[in-house]
Amino acid sequence: MPDSQLRQQFLEGMSRAAASVSVVTTDGPAGRHGITVSAMTSVSADGEAPTMLVCLNAASSVLPPLLDNGCFCINVLRIDQQAISDIFSGRLPAPDGDRFRAGHFSPGTTGAPMLNEALVSFDCKLVSADKIGTHHICIGAVREVRVAPEGSPLLYGMRSYLRAEKH
């Protein structure tokens, strides 16, 4: 376990690394679940299929169903979808107790819910999940991509939502 000063410096440093905000969803025999994340990225566009990764806390209630369902969708949020982020993170109550009522979802190729109004959605079949420290790194083979015709990403950094500026 890192010393407390190093941990604090790490957390402060990472707060300055702005990232897009996404809602990761899954559905299947273990049920429909979703959570807000900022730790996701592409791995490769080459190979049998493009690959993506997402990091989920091992204590997250979403991780076991995602592993059991064997699929996930990374829904990158638009700048006007802060409320969806807050609902899936638990900062705001879910409408009628169901987080999925915060937007319009339809099943992707894998069955994972794709947010119809997302900036982009990457529907993935889970290919590996490894625990590193307190998190699981979940890698998925992309099966479907839906790209919105326009919009800007919702960003998070410095412990708040940020607005991207075009130059």
Side-chain angles (χ1 to χ4, degrees):
M1 180 132 207
D3 68 53
S4 62
Q5 183 179 3
L6 178 60
R7 182 180 187 280
Q8 205 50 42
Q9 289 171 330
F10 176 80
L11 291 173
E12 190 62 30
M14 287 307 299
S15 78
R16 287 161 170 71
S20 60
V21 178
S22 300
V23 168
V24 173
T25 59
T26 188
D27 200 357
R32 185 172 69 163
H33 299 271
I35 192 167
T36 300
V37 304
S38 60
M40 76 84 186
T41 192
S42 66
V43 175
S44 176
D46 301 316
E48 279 186 40
T51 48
M52 301 283 298
L53 76 76
V54 63
C55 296
L56 296 175
N57 191 304
S60 167
S61 63
V62 174
L63 182 63
L66 186 149
L67 297 176
D68 289 345
N69 289 337
C71 65
F72 61 90
C73 184
I74 301 169
N75 298 283
V76 180
L77 299 181
R78 292 188 332 247
I79 198 163
D80 60 341
Q81 294 175 317
Q82 181 178 334
I84 294 173
S85 170
D86 288 341
I87 288 167
F88 276 87
S89 71
R91 285 189 208 140
L92 288 178
D96 297 325
D98 181 1
R99 291 178 172 179
F100 287 90
R101 296 188 107 197
H104 301 285
F105 291 85
S106 59
T109 301
T110 68
M114 298 180 87
L115 178 62
N116 297 342
E117 303 86 14
L119 185 61
V120 60
S121 295
F122 300 95
D123 184 29
C124 302
K125 179 182 180 214
L126 182 68
V127 294
S128 72
D130 295 307
K131 187 175 182 199
I132 307 292
T134 59
H135 284 65
H136 273 72
I137 298 172
C138 301
I139 297 179
V142 177
R143 296 292 185 242
E144 181 180 357
V145 178
R146 293 184 193 167
V147 180
E150 60 184 64
S152 295
L154 178 62
L155 301 176
Y156 192 82
M158 301 298 292
R159 297 182 176 90
S160 65
Y161 292 110
L162 304 172
R163 184 174 294 270
E165 294 181 22
K166 293 182 182 182
H167 295 274

